[in-house]
Amino acid sequence: MSDFTDPFWSFFVAAGTLVSIVACALLLQSLSQRKAPGDPEKTPHVWDEDLAEYNNPLPRWWIGLFWASIIFSLAYLWFYPGLGAYEGSLKWTSANEYADEVKVAQDRYGPLYARLAQTDLKQLAADPEARAVGQKLFLNYCSQCHASDARGGKGFPNLTDGDWLYGGDPQVIKASIMEGRNGVMPPMGAALGPAGVKDAANYVRSLSGLAHDAGAATRGKAHFTQLCAACHGAEGKGNPAMGAPNLTDKVWLYGSSEALVIETITRGRSNVMPAHKDFLGEARSHVLAAYVYGLSAAEPANGMQRINAGK
């Protein structure tokens, strides 16, 4: 498929736009001509036996509005981009406007972020001013996935419960924000088969005290030791270095039902936390990391109360 980089497409768009405007002008001209004196020409449209439609010209004020729209469109296409590769006489682009807005914001808030970035993350988590700034950053850049209350959803971690795939140290949280994360649970359906997957699912559910078939769990333990312990550990307590979740703590990213656990083992999972380093920068990432840390920290600096105690 063409990437529409050939100069022909620029000509095609520009010609199509101008021809459309000219066609509208000609149509408007034909519809605005006055009829000769006398009875206007009747159309074939008649309702209720005697209610006839006449071929009258459009009202002058209405015609004037249409002509004003055509003139405005031509002026707009002269000043702004809209005719293929033509940039417009003002050389306006949305990218330049965004860059200007970013520069204004940087000039206004840059000193604030620079000052807050010099503070230790744990202390910053207890600073009301920093938390207010961090909350705005979170709502703008994180709430779409983790929800406005930071409790997440299916496939998106709850940031308020103290359970962390990669660890809850503030520096680790900052690294997650800046560098992103790419978590992969490989599919095991082909290696285990349907029966083996169900046995493994029952064993995994038994690790966190969920209802399970004891016989299936016993058989599943061997599968777990062979295929799963390398990432989740022999006891299923996970490995923060790899982002492998703890399977014993009753916290489930995709749900804990037998059907969902079977689905996870069979098909695997792939989760991506996008990197924000190039977008937010180090200073704003620092403030955001302090805010996220404060959402679940049991004993933040200066004795600040933990916001959400339950998982």
Side-chain angles (χ1 to χ4, degrees):
M1 181 177 178
S2 172
D3 290 331
F4 299 98
T5 57
D6 191 286
F8 164 77
W9 294 110
S10 174
F11 172 80
F12 178 82
V13 171
T17 301
L18 292 175
V19 167
S20 298
I21 293 176
V22 172
C24 288
L26 293 176
L27 177 62
L28 181 62
Q29 178 64 24
S30 68
L31 294 175
S32 61
Q33 293 179 353
R34 288 289 182 181
K35 301 293 181 181
D39 290 337
E41 177 187 354
K42 290 184 179 180
T43 70
H45 305 146
V46 179
W47 296 271
D48 293 336
E49 299 182 355
D50 60 352
L51 183 59
E53 179 181 354
Y54 290 88
N55 190 18
N56 287 315
L58 296 173
R60 288 298 179 183
W61 66 269
W62 200 350
I63 293 174
L65 288 178
F66 280 124
W67 279 116
S69 298
I70 291 175
I71 294 172
F72 174 83
S73 66
L74 292 173
Y76 179 92
L77 292 173
W78 172 259
F79 290 112
Y80 295 97
L83 294 175
Y86 175 62
E87 297 179 347
S89 61
L90 297 180
K91 307 297 182 184
W92 179 92
T93 68
S94 58
N96 289 339
E97 183 170 354
Y98 173 74
D100 292 341
E101 291 177 355
V102 170
K103 185 179 183 303
V104 171
Q106 181 62 32
D107 292 341
R108 181 176 180 181
Y109 300 109
L112 170 63
Y113 286 118
R115 175 173 60 82
L116 295 177
Q118 303 303 312
T119 306
D120 177 77
L121 283 167
K122 290 186 178 181
Q123 294 180 348
L124 204 61
D127 184 334
E129 179 187 26
R131 290 194 58 77
V133 174
Q135 183 182 46
K136 289 182 172 62
L137 291 172
F138 182 89
L139 293 174
N140 283 332
Y141 303 114
C142 311
S143 61
Q144 294 83 353
C145 293
H146 295 283
S148 58
D149 62 359
R151 292 185 178 274
K154 185 178 180 179
F156 300 101
N158 182 348
L159 304 179
T160 70
D161 62 3
D163 183 80
W164 299 89
L165 290 174
Y166 294 90
D169 182 83
Q171 289 296 337
V172 174
I173 296 173
K174 182 177 178 179
S176 295
I177 294 172
M178 295 189 68
E179 306 297 335
R181 300 290 185 182
N182 191 355
V184 177
M185 158 74 181
M188 298 294 183
L192 293 174
V197 167
K198 185 169 184 177
D199 291 343
N202 274 273
Y203 175 71
V204 169
R205 283 169 53 83
S206 74
L207 292 176
S208 58
L210 296 173
H212 60 279
D213 182 302
T218 300
R219 296 189 298 271
K221 182 176 182 180
H223 298 313
F224 183 90
T225 301
Q226 180 183 5
L227 298 175
C228 311
C231 293
H232 294 283
E235 298 179 351
K237 293 186 177 297
N239 184 351
M242 303 175 62
N246 182 351
L247 304 177
T248 69
D249 61 2
K250 295 183 174 61
V251 177
W252 298 84
L253 193 57
Y254 289 93
S256 61
S257 71
E258 181 177 326
L260 287 174
V261 176
I262 287 176
E263 179 184 343
T264 298
I265 296 173
T266 303
R267 300 181 180 180
R269 299 289 185 183
S270 179
N271 256 13
V272 176
M273 158 72 181
H276 289 68
K277 175 175 60 178
D278 295 335
F279 186 69
L280 289 179
E282 200 277 337
R284 286 192 291 178
S285 296
H286 188 86
V287 178
L288 180 55
Y291 174 77
V292 173
Y293 170 74
L295 290 174
S296 63
E299 295 180 359
N302 300 334
M304 191 180 85
Q305 293 289 324
R306 177 173 174 171
I307 295 177
N308 293 290
K311 289 188 177 182

